[in-house]
Amino acid sequence: MSEDHYFTARPASADERRLISVTLAGEPLELETAAGVFSPGHVDLGTQVLLRTVPAPRGRVLDLGCGWGPIALTAALSGADAVVAVDVNERALDLLRRNAARVAARRPLAPLVACLPIEVAAEASFDTLWSNPPIRIGKEALHALLDAWLPRLAPRGEAFLVVQRNLGADSLAKWLAARGEENGGWGAVEKLGSAKGFRVLRVEAAQG
Ligand SMILES: C[S@@+](CC[C@H](N)C(=O)[O-])C[C@H]1O[C@@H](n2cnc3c(N)ncnc32)[C@H](O)[C@@H]1O
């Protein structure tokens, strides 16, 4: 199954592009996807829960683990000043770049950059972080990922993460609360909502 390898840099599966019909930020869109990226046939259920639960994005937005782009594109269509979307999967980044160009040809879209994590300037910070994070990379790698990005929230910034309850949403919430307290990298953690087996967690920026 292609999803088993969605976080490889260069998926081995044939890069056959196809168009799917989706609705993002209330807009019906035709977007490009391909095998070898996460949820290529539709907007993932967890992503749908996240997008229905979060308040409108503020300022500069980071989509951590963007895939073909449903979260980044929604942010760019719904009030973000600018969106940075990162992923380790180069096919996903290419799809998102092409999808952003498609959408921008027809609708006003905030500036959106899709790039590898190492291409984001070290000093860049974000007012809003939205993510359906890659739980399947394993607990240690996931913790390292969050340790690297949550401290990059700007003052008064907030992160929203969607996690499947049976893939450890509650233990991740506990870890986030304890870790933020221990290292001061971020502030309070709240369970914002729950639907269809997913939890949305809200993490505040560190108190300046
Ligand atoms: C659960 S998927 C979500 C994809 C997309 N945002 C969506 O909602 O359909 C998680 C994404 O994180 C990416 N990922 C895995 N490891 C990563 C890392 N270290 N840094 C950034 N993204 C990563 C995967 O390649 C995958 O596209």
Side-chain angles (χ1 to χ4, degrees), residues 24-107:
L24 299 176
E27 304 273 359
L29 302 167
E30 293 257 287
L31 298 177
E32 234 181 77
T33 71
V37 303
F38 178 77
S39 193
H42 59 277
V43 179
D44 171 67
L45 186 56
T47 298
Q48 292 180 37
V49 169
L50 175 77
L51 294 175
R52 270 192 235 127
T53 307
V54 289
R58 271 192 316 109
R60 221 175 124 77
V61 177
L62 176 73
D63 175 1
L64 177 57
C66 58
W68 54 263
I71 296 176
L73 291 167
T74 300
L77 282 165
S78 49
D81 291 341
V83 177
V84 174
V86 296
D87 207 292
V88 292
N89 182 326
E90 291 175 16
R91 186 177 295 172
L93 292 173
D94 182 58
L95 286 165
L96 175 49
R97 289 183 197 117
R98 293 172 62 91
N99 283 331
R102 269 180 168 271
V103 176
R106 292 172 190 78
R107 292 172 176 78

Side-chain angles (χ1 to χ4, degrees), residues 96-134:
L96 175 49
R97 289 183 197 117
R98 293 172 62 91
N99 283 331
R102 269 180 168 271
V103 176
R106 292 172 190 78
R107 292 172 176 78
L109 192 76
L112 189 162
V113 171
C115 63
L116 293 169
I118 50 161
E119 294 173 319
V120 179
E123 66 279 10
S125 64
F126 301 92
D127 304 295
T128 306
L129 187 162
W130 282 357
S131 182
N132 179 349

